[in-house]
Amino acid sequence: MSTLFSQELLISTFAIIIVPLYMLYLRSSRSKNPSVLPINWPIVGVFPYLIANFHNLHDYLAVVLAGSGHNFRAHGPPGTGLRFFITCEPANVRHIFTTNHANFPKGAEFAAIFDIAGGSFFTTEGEPWRRQRARAQRVLSNPRLLACMTACCRDKVENGLPPVLMHMASTGTTFDLQDLTTRLVFDMTATPLFGVDPGLLSSDMPPMDAAVAMDTVMEVALFRHIVPTSGWKVMRRLNIGPERKLAAAHTVLRGFIEEMMERRKRKEHAGNEGAPSVDILSSYIDDPDYQQNDGLLHATLINYMIAGRDTIGTALTWVFYNLAQNPHVVSFIRHELSPIASRKAATGANNSSTMVIFEPEETKSLVYMRAAIHESLRLHPPVPIERKTAVAHDVMPSGHVVHAGDTLLISLHSMGRMEGVWGKDCREYNTDRWLSEDGKKLRYVPSHKFLSFSSGPRLCLGKDVSFMQMNTIVAAMVWNFDVEVVEGQRVQPKMSCVLQMKNGLMVKLKKREM
C-alpha cells in the first residue's frame, strides 16, 4: 500500500472514530441550547457539525450565517486541508467575483470534485477558460442556434406538454411536477445540444437514466465539498459508498452521450444532402482539439447539460410551488397575459386546440411574471452554493482575512434569507420587491446581491435563453391550469449541489374555463 494511500486511510479512519463522539456531545448541547453556533473544536474543527446537519445543510448554513453576521470561518481535522470561509455578504461576493476575481478561481479541488466535466469551461481557469468561454459565447450567440432553441422550446410547450397535462387534468391524477419539468427541460436542453430529441417527455414516460445519473453527480459533489478530499478519494479507490454510486453514474452519462452522437450521425446520413445541422455539437465535433480528445468533448457536452437542465428544471419546480402558495400572484400574471390571449383569440393565432400557447417573443416584456420568477430564484436559487479558492492572502470588505489555500463557500441560499440584505420580510415570497413604484418596470438589483446567474467574468452566458424558456413554460401553465399542491407532503431541498426537491412535488391540475 502506498504511503499516500496509507495517510489518506489513516485520516479517514480517525475521522470515523472521533466524529461520532463529538456528535453525541452536539446532540446533548443542542437540547440545552438549540441556537448554539458551530464551534471550531480542537482536532476535528466543525466537521462534526457538517456531518450532523448534512441532511439539512442549506438551512443550517442560513442559521449559522444569520447568527454570525453573514460570515463564518471554519476548519476541519488537521491534515485534511479543510479551511473554510463561508459568506453571504454582498460586498464580499462583489470582491470575490468581480473586484479581485483573479485571486479567487474555482481551484483544483473544484475540478476534482466535478471530474466528470474536467477540462471544460465549467472547471478550468486562466487562458484555457478564456478561450473556451469565448467559444461558448460565439456558439450561444449564433442566430440560427438561438432560433433552433426557441423553436424547440415552443414545440415542446405546444406539442409535448398538452397531451400529458390534459390527461392529468381530465383524470384528476396526482403526479410529480418535478419529474415532469425534469423531462421537459432535459429534452429542451439535449435537442439543441445534439440535434436529436431524447424523447423523455412522451406518452409512455420512458426511464430517465441519464437524468438520474446527473442528479447523482450533483448529490455526490455536495458530499465531496464538505468531506476531506482524502476521505472521498479513499472511497473512490475502494469503490464504496457514494463514490460507487458516482462511478456508475459516470458510466451512464458517457453512454448517453455516445448514444446521442450515434443517433445524430444516423439522422445526418438519413437526411442526405439536406441543410447542415444546427446544434451545439456541430460547433465542436469537427475541431481537431476535440476530435483528438474524446474526454474533453464529453466533458464539454456534460457542461452544457448541467448549465441547462439542472438550473432551469430545478428553478421551474420552485416557481410553480411558490405560485401555488400565492394565488394572488397567479391572478396578477393572468391579468398581464390577458391582452395577449385576447389578441390571439381574435386573430386565430393560437395553433393548439387544447391550450393557449404564448410565443417566446410575446412573454419577453412581461414585467410581473419576470418579478415572480426572480423572487422564486431569490428564495430558491438552483445552485445554492458557489465554491472558490484563495490564491493569495486577502482582506474581505467585511474585514475578514482569508489565507492562501482557503476554500470560500458562498451561500446563495442563505443570502436570500438575510434580513440585512433583503429586509425583515426576507423569508416571504414578495414579488413587489422587484417592481418599481408604478409596477411597470423591474428594479435593478446587482448580481452580487442576486447571484442566481453568477456575477463578474463568469456571468451566465445562457441567462436570456433561460428566461425565454421559463417565461414560455410558466405562461402556458399559469394561463391554462390551476395547480394545486397536494397537502401533507414535506417539501424540502435535496442535499445536492442543485436545489431540487427531495421528494418531488406532488400536484393536481384543473383545466381553466376560458
Side-chain angles (χ1 to χ4, degrees), residues 126-189:
E127 188 55 33
W129 168 75
R130 280 187 283 272
R131 288 199 308 270
Q132 291 196 41
R133 181 177 172 86
R135 183 180 196 131
Q137 194 162 19
R138 291 194 301 272
V139 169
L140 294 175
S141 61
N142 183 327
R144 294 182 64 212
L145 178 63
L146 290 173
C148 171
M149 298 173 86
T150 301
C152 176
C153 175
R154 178 66 170 76
D155 175 67
K156 285 292 175 181
V157 173
E158 181 178 16
N159 300 312
L161 270 181
V164 178
L165 297 179
M166 292 302 295
H167 171 73
M168 297 299 182
S170 63
T171 59
T173 304
T174 299
F175 69 100
D176 183 358
L177 186 58
Q178 180 168 260
D179 178 85
L180 183 68
T181 58
T182 297
R183 292 175 181 277
L184 170 63
V185 176
F186 192 98
D187 283 355
M188 284 170 40
T189 302

Side-chain angles (χ1 to χ4, degrees), residues 100-366:
N100 199 20
H101 69 91
N103 191 46
F104 301 104
K106 292 189 174 184
E109 288 190 3
F110 181 92
I113 288 170
F114 289 101
D115 48 5
I116 188 69
S120 71
F121 58 90
F122 182 56
T123 61
T124 52
E125 299 290 347
E127 188 55 33
W129 168 75
R130 280 187 283 272
R131 288 199 308 270
Q132 291 196 41
R133 181 177 172 86
R135 183 180 196 131
Q137 194 162 19
R138 291 194 301 272
V139 169
L140 294 175
S141 61
N142 183 327
R144 294 182 64 212
L145 178 63
L146 290 173
C148 171
M149 298 173 86
T150 301
C152 176
C153 175
R154 178 66 170 76
D155 175 67
K156 285 292 175 181
V157 173
E158 181 178 16
N159 300 312
L161 270 181
V164 178
L165 297 179
M166 292 302 295
H167 171 73
M168 297 299 182
S170 63
T171 59
T173 304
T174 299
F175 69 100
D176 183 358
L177 186 58
Q178 180 168 260
D179 178 85
L180 183 68
T181 58
T182 297
R183 292 175 181 277
L184 170 63
V185 176
F186 192 98
D187 283 355
M188 284 170 40
T189 302
T191 303
L193 179 57
F194 297 101
V196 289
D197 188 347
L200 293 188
L201 185 67
S202 57
S203 57
D204 59 344
M205 295 294 184
M208 295 196 297
D209 294 342
V212 172
M214 291 183 68
D215 293 344
T216 298
V217 168
M218 290 300 167
E219 291 164 29
V220 179
L222 184 63
F223 176 78
R224 284 181 169 187
H225 270 301
I226 68 168
V227 170
T229 302
S230 58
W232 66 257
K233 284 188 175 181
V234 166
M235 291 182 183
R236 185 176 64 183
R237 291 191 186 189
L238 297 177
N239 195 29
I240 60 174
E243 292 297 319
R244 181 183 180 88
K245 189 178 177 182
L246 181 62
H250 284 191
T251 300
V252 170
L253 284 175
R254 293 189 182 101
F256 169 76
I257 289 172
E258 290 295 337
E259 178 190 349
M260 295 300 288
M261 292 173 68
E262 183 60 33
R263 286 178 56 185
R264 177 185 180 275
K265 189 182 300 183
R266 292 198 300 266
K267 178 184 175 183
E268 282 189 335
H269 289 162
N272 298 322
E273 299 299 324
S277 297
V278 181
D279 53 57
I280 294 174
L281 178 57
S282 298
S283 301
Y284 291 90
I285 199 168
D286 295 326
D287 187 308
D289 290 342
Y290 292 85
Q291 284 181 332
Q292 298 168 14
N293 189 342
D294 285 345
L296 178 58
L297 179 60
H298 284 195
T300 301
L301 295 173
I302 289 172
N303 192 155
Y304 279 105
M305 288 295 297
I306 291 172
R309 194 226 54 147
D310 283 350
T311 54
I312 302 168
T314 301
L316 280 172
T317 310
W318 286 107
V319 168
F320 290 125
Y321 171 75
N322 285 313
L323 292 179
Q325 308 304 309
N326 295 274
H328 68 286
V329 176
V330 173
S331 297
F332 278 120
I333 294 176
R334 287 172 177 167
H335 178 75
E336 196 173 39
L337 289 168
S338 182
I340 304 173
S342 297
R343 287 197 300 271
K344 296 174 81 69
T347 60
N350 192 61
N351 296 323
S352 175
S353 60
T354 56
M355 289 172 51
V356 177
I357 306 300
F358 298 88
E359 303 293 334
E361 196 61 33
E362 293 173 326
T363 62
K364 189 175 182 180
S365 59
L366 298 183

Side-chain angles (χ1 to χ4, degrees), residues 58-59 62 378-381 384 411-417 493 499:
H58 303 308
D59 287 334
R378 181 188 72 84
L379 282 171
H380 303 104
S411 177
L412 285 68
H413 182 80
S414 299
M415 188 185 291
R417 289 159 172 73
L499 202 71

Side-chain angles (χ1 to χ4, degrees), residues 46-110:
V46 299
F47 191 54
Y49 291 93
L50 295 179
I51 298 301
N53 293 282
F54 185 74
H55 66 288
N56 195 32
L57 182 63
H58 303 308
D59 287 334
Y60 176 67
L61 288 181
V63 172
V64 171
L65 288 167
S68 57
H70 301 178
N71 304 280
F72 185 76
R73 178 172 292 285
H75 64 78
T80 62
L82 291 181
R83 300 198 317 272
F84 294 129
F85 176 67
I86 307 169
T87 184
C88 65
E89 174 63 48
N92 288 347
V93 170
R94 179 171 52 192
H95 184 77
I96 295 164
F97 283 77
T98 305
T99 309
N100 199 20
H101 69 91
N103 191 46
F104 301 104
K106 292 189 174 184
E109 288 190 3
F110 181 92

